[in-house]
Amino acid sequence: MIPVALGSPDNWFEKRFSYARRRLLDHLSELEEQGLAPEYHEIFKHPQQGPYGESLATDAIWLGSLSAENVIVLGSATHGAEGYAGSAIQSFILHCLTRNKLRLPPNCALVLVHALNPWGMAWHRRCDEQGIDVNRNFIDFSQPLPQPVAYELVRECLTEPDEVRREKALASLLDQLGQQGFDEAVFGGQYHDPLAPFYGGQQKSFSREVTESVLKQFALAGRNLMVIDLHTGLGPWGYGELICDHPIDTPQEAFAMKAFGESVAMPARGNSFSAVKEGLLDYAWHQVMSERSCFLTLEFGTYDSRALLKTLVDEHLVWAGDSDAKVKHGESYHRMMQHFCPNDIYWRQSVLFKSWQVMDRLCSGDVF
Ligand SMILES: [Zn+2]
């Protein structure tokens, strides 16, 4: 069943942060006219501006009863440039609620976290303004920093401007570690090269502070939570993989399986397109979760992981240069959008449809 006329995907997908945020807030107003007003809306302002001088912020919005025991959380733009798809999904879900194509079950609220990394989204970067990959930033900074295995080779894969040399380093690392070890070493997170991809930072990022504030201000600890964090850029074209990074054989893994069956993929079991990673956003949420809760990444594939690596290394090399930020942005914008939010009608429809399907399941009343 087609849930609601999708129309042209252009109705949902924007190219600039301010347009995407405006669209979300417009859909929120429409929903309010139907009688479902946000009970709580917190705006976390970011200190910097976007490339067009626009102001930047993360919006956290509570819909439904504040006393609900069960809460669905739908987040976007943990990786900034992936937020154009994530924001489109969030607007679409609001539209489905407005048109009664989705209905929150009793005792269940919905929290939207729009643009967790607004700077990265506005500048079409995956990282934040400090070069931090927010999804590697949730580590304990009072402990020694994690060190990827074979780091000298990993470094060459992530920072080498000469493509021939980089390819050689990639081949050698793959040889040494095998595919799974290679994925973990390269994509798993590094804490040493701020100008290279997958840099987890050496302190808490803006987005981590916002996450911790949302957890507190929205009093989420102790409730039953189903968190869906929206990502793009890894896995087969248009496929939405539900990735569970809870430890294996935990109640949270069982809860994910109860909700979504065999479609749940576990990096720790080696059956996901994603590798085991350091410092995921998941870990902040895991700490407050009841047994009837789980955190899932909903990752929409575009191109393969080699293309992902090339796009990101090239983009970081551009941003490591001396030119003005707007020039760097102009140089990398198209390739970043093409990798993380491709302008392809079938891809965009798949993304919206799968997201509706996930939300429809969560709203069925059988999950919590
Ligand atoms: Zn991502």
Side-chain angles (χ1 to χ4, degrees), residues 78-80 82 126 133 135-136 229-234 297 299 340:
T78 300
H79 290 137
E82 299 169 23
R126 190 170 169 282
D133 180 334
N135 220 20
R136 306 289 184 275
D229 197 37
L230 301 163
H231 287 254
T232 62
L234 182 67
T297 299
E299 175 86 57
F340 293 107

Short mmCIF file of all heavy atoms in Angstrom, two decimals, residues 78-80 82 126 133 135-136 229-234 297 299 340, ligand 1:
data_model
loop_
_atom_site.label_atom_id
_atom_site.label_comp_id
_atom_site.label_asym_id
_atom_site.label_seq_id
_atom_site.Cartn_x
_atom_site.Cartn_y
_atom_site.Cartn_z
N THR A 78 23.19 13.62 12.17
CA THR A 78 24.34 13.35 13.04
C THR A 78 25.59 13.55 12.18
O THR A 78 26.59 14.13 12.62
CB THR A 78 24.27 11.89 13.55
OG1 THR A 78 23.05 11.74 14.28
CG2 THR A 78 25.46 11.53 14.41
N HIS A 79 25.50 13.05 10.95
CA HIS A 79 26.47 13.41 9.91
C HIS A 79 25.82 14.48 9.05
O HIS A 79 24.85 14.20 8.32
CB HIS A 79 26.83 12.18 9.07
CG HIS A 79 27.64 11.17 9.83
ND1 HIS A 79 27.41 9.82 9.77
CD2 HIS A 79 28.69 11.36 10.68
CE1 HIS A 79 28.30 9.20 10.55
NE2 HIS A 79 29.08 10.11 11.11
N GLY A 80 26.36 15.71 9.14
CA GLY A 80 25.69 16.88 8.58
C GLY A 80 25.08 16.70 7.20
O GLY A 80 23.86 16.86 7.00
N GLU A 82 24.28 14.26 5.53
CA GLU A 82 23.25 13.22 5.41
C GLU A 82 21.89 13.76 5.86
O GLU A 82 20.85 13.11 5.71
CB GLU A 82 23.66 12.00 6.25
CG GLU A 82 24.97 11.40 5.76
CD GLU A 82 25.57 10.35 6.70
OE1 GLU A 82 24.82 9.76 7.50
OE2 GLU A 82 26.80 10.14 6.64
N ARG A 126 30.23 16.10 6.35
CA ARG A 126 29.79 15.02 7.21
C ARG A 126 30.16 15.34 8.67
O ARG A 126 29.44 15.00 9.61
CB ARG A 126 30.45 13.73 6.74
CG ARG A 126 29.94 12.45 7.35
CD ARG A 126 30.53 11.28 6.58
NE ARG A 126 30.30 10.00 7.23
CZ ARG A 126 30.98 9.55 8.26
NH1 ARG A 126 31.95 10.27 8.78
NH2 ARG A 126 30.70 8.37 8.78
N ASP A 133 33.78 13.91 13.59
CA ASP A 133 32.73 12.98 13.18
C ASP A 133 31.91 12.73 14.44
O ASP A 133 32.36 12.02 15.35
CB ASP A 133 33.39 11.69 12.66
CG ASP A 133 32.37 10.66 12.20
OD1 ASP A 133 31.23 10.69 12.70
OD2 ASP A 133 32.74 9.81 11.37
N ASN A 135 29.55 10.94 15.13
CA ASN A 135 29.27 9.54 15.42
C ASN A 135 30.52 8.73 15.79
O ASN A 135 30.51 7.50 15.71
CB ASN A 135 28.55 8.89 14.24
CG ASN A 135 27.44 7.94 14.68
OD1 ASN A 135 26.97 8.03 15.82
ND2 ASN A 135 27.05 7.03 13.81
N ARG A 136 31.58 9.43 16.19
CA ARG A 136 32.75 8.78 16.80
C ARG A 136 33.13 9.53 18.08
O ARG A 136 34.15 9.26 18.68
CB ARG A 136 33.96 8.79 15.84
CG ARG A 136 33.72 8.20 14.46
CD ARG A 136 33.55 6.68 14.47
NE ARG A 136 33.42 6.20 13.09
CZ ARG A 136 32.28 6.17 12.40
NH1 ARG A 136 31.15 6.56 12.98
NH2 ARG A 136 32.25 5.73 11.15
N ASP A 229 18.02 6.69 14.21
CA ASP A 229 18.91 7.77 13.76
C ASP A 229 19.14 7.60 12.25
O ASP A 229 19.63 6.56 11.81
CB ASP A 229 20.23 7.71 14.53
CG ASP A 229 21.00 9.02 14.40
OD1 ASP A 229 20.37 10.09 14.39
OD2 ASP A 229 22.25 8.97 14.32
N LEU A 230 18.80 8.63 11.49
CA LEU A 230 18.79 8.53 10.02
C LEU A 230 20.14 8.87 9.41
O LEU A 230 20.72 9.93 9.70
CB LEU A 230 17.72 9.47 9.46
CG LEU A 230 16.29 9.19 9.96
CD1 LEU A 230 15.38 10.38 9.70
CD2 LEU A 230 15.75 7.92 9.30
N HIS A 231 20.64 7.94 8.59
CA HIS A 231 21.94 8.12 7.93
C HIS A 231 21.84 7.72 6.46
O HIS A 231 20.92 6.99 6.07
CB HIS A 231 23.00 7.24 8.58
CG HIS A 231 23.43 7.73 9.93
ND1 HIS A 231 24.65 8.34 10.15
CD2 HIS A 231 22.78 7.72 11.11
CE1 HIS A 231 24.74 8.67 11.44
NE2 HIS A 231 23.63 8.31 12.04
N THR A 232 22.82 8.17 5.68
CA THR A 232 22.91 7.76 4.28
C THR A 232 24.37 7.54 3.89
O THR A 232 25.28 8.02 4.56
CB THR A 232 22.35 8.85 3.33
OG1 THR A 232 23.16 10.03 3.46
CG2 THR A 232 20.90 9.19 3.62
N GLY A 233 24.55 6.79 2.79
CA GLY A 233 25.90 6.73 2.19
C GLY A 233 26.64 5.42 2.34
O GLY A 233 27.77 5.30 1.90
N LEU A 234 26.00 4.41 2.98
CA LEU A 234 26.67 3.11 3.14
C LEU A 234 25.67 1.98 2.86
O LEU A 234 24.59 1.96 3.44
CB LEU A 234 27.21 2.98 4.57
CG LEU A 234 27.98 1.70 4.89
CD1 LEU A 234 29.29 1.62 4.12
CD2 LEU A 234 28.26 1.62 6.39
N THR A 297 20.26 2.54 13.93
CA THR A 297 20.63 3.44 12.85
C THR A 297 19.89 2.97 11.61
O THR A 297 19.94 1.78 11.29
CB THR A 297 22.15 3.33 12.60
OG1 THR A 297 22.82 3.73 13.81
CG2 THR A 297 22.60 4.21 11.46
N GLU A 299 20.19 3.25 7.95
CA GLU A 299 21.23 3.70 7.00
C GLU A 299 20.79 3.39 5.56
O GLU A 299 20.57 2.23 5.21
CB GLU A 299 22.52 2.95 7.31
CG GLU A 299 23.68 3.19 6.35
CD GLU A 299 24.52 4.41 6.69
OE1 GLU A 299 25.05 4.49 7.81
OE2 GLU A 299 24.66 5.29 5.82
N PHE A 340 25.64 11.59 -0.64
CA PHE A 340 24.82 11.44 0.56
C PHE A 340 23.33 11.74 0.37
O PHE A 340 22.51 11.39 1.22
CB PHE A 340 25.39 12.30 1.70
CG PHE A 340 26.73 11.81 2.16
CD1 PHE A 340 27.90 12.50 1.84
CD2 PHE A 340 26.84 10.63 2.86
CE1 PHE A 340 29.15 12.03 2.24
CE2 PHE A 340 28.07 10.14 3.27
CZ PHE A 340 29.23 10.85 2.95
ZN ZN B 1 26.10 8.65 8.69
#
